[in-house]
Amino acid sequence: MSLRVILRWPDARLRMVCAPVPEVTPEIHALAGDLLETMYAAPGRGLAAPQVGEVCRVFVMDTGWKEGVPQPRVFVNPEILARSDDTVTRAEGCLSIPGVSVDVTRPAEITLRWTDLEGRVQQDRLTGFAAACAQHEIDHLDGRVTFDRLTAEARALAEAQFVDVSA
Ligand code: NI
């Protein structure tokens, strides 16, 4: 495993729609290891492959480690099968937009299907923070960041805030 450089918005690679992974190869295992190591070091609770410049549909998430209950998870080719009608608004940060958190409204619960590192198809219903985090990471796989979920007015304010903190 190795630490990877996390790309920062507005890097053009964060806008690319990632390609599906045809097969879980040793390279995908290595990428997943790199993503987890880089996520923990950042420190964060989710990281998507395009954030380290790999334009493929892989993300990692660990919603418990900051509370002392590590649960590293790797998602290959994630697909949202169902979304709840009820929504929730949370302040979301992003490792590619350090220092800026913005309120994003998303479905409160999702049903997610993905392939694990053993090549098995998995399915789970995600709620709470995990649901928001997975949707945030899948947005990355589709070339979207939190800013793309904002109104034009809120986006302009958030972008100005990022310029300030990175100056
Ligand atoms: Ni992010």
Side-chain angles (χ1 to χ4, degrees):
M1 294 202 293
S2 56
L3 267 183
R4 305 283 288 261
V5 173
I6 298 176
L7 303 179
R8 290 196 175 190
W9 182 87
D11 191 295
R13 285 167 286 182
L14 296 172
R15 299 204 170 284
M16 296 177 71
V17 176
C18 298
V21 172
E23 189 186 357
V24 180
T25 59
E27 288 73 24
I28 295 296
H29 278 255
L31 171 61
D34 287 358
L35 285 170
L36 283 167
E37 182 177 346
T38 305
M39 177 188 76
Y40 289 131
R45 292 186 284 195
L47 188 65
Q51 293 181 274
V52 300
E54 303 286 347
V55 190
C56 63
R57 302 189 79 82
V58 177
F59 77 88
V60 298
M61 178 168 84
D62 188 335
T63 55
W65 77 274
K66 287 190 177 181
E67 288 73 43
V69 190
Q71 190 196 11
R73 302 176 82 180
V74 178
F75 300 82
V76 177
N77 296 336
E79 186 183 352
I80 297 174
L81 300 180
R83 298 167 169 84
S84 64
D85 290 332
D86 57 315
T87 60
V88 62
T89 301
R90 294 171 184 275
E92 294 187 14
C94 179
L95 295 176
S96 292
I97 316 174
V100 179
S101 91
V102 295
D103 285 341
V104 180
T105 301
R106 303 182 187 275
E109 300 185 10
I110 59 169
T111 302
L112 190 65
R113 182 167 65 195
W114 71 96
T115 300
D116 68 17
L117 281 183
E118 281 68 51
R120 296 175 304 214
V121 175
Q122 305 273 3
Q123 188 172 316
D124 197 5
R125 184 138 183 95
L126 299 182
T127 63
F129 177 80
C133 187
Q135 290 176 84
H136 175 118
E137 303 309 330
I138 290 168
D139 269 359
H140 278 300
L141 304 184
D142 292 325
R144 277 194 293 264
V145 297
T146 52
F147 289 170
D148 299 310
R149 293 284 181 192
L150 303 179
T151 63
E153 187 181 6
R155 181 185 182 119
L157 285 170
E159 288 189 8
Q161 194 185 348
F162 180 67
V163 170
D164 286 345
V165 298
S166 61

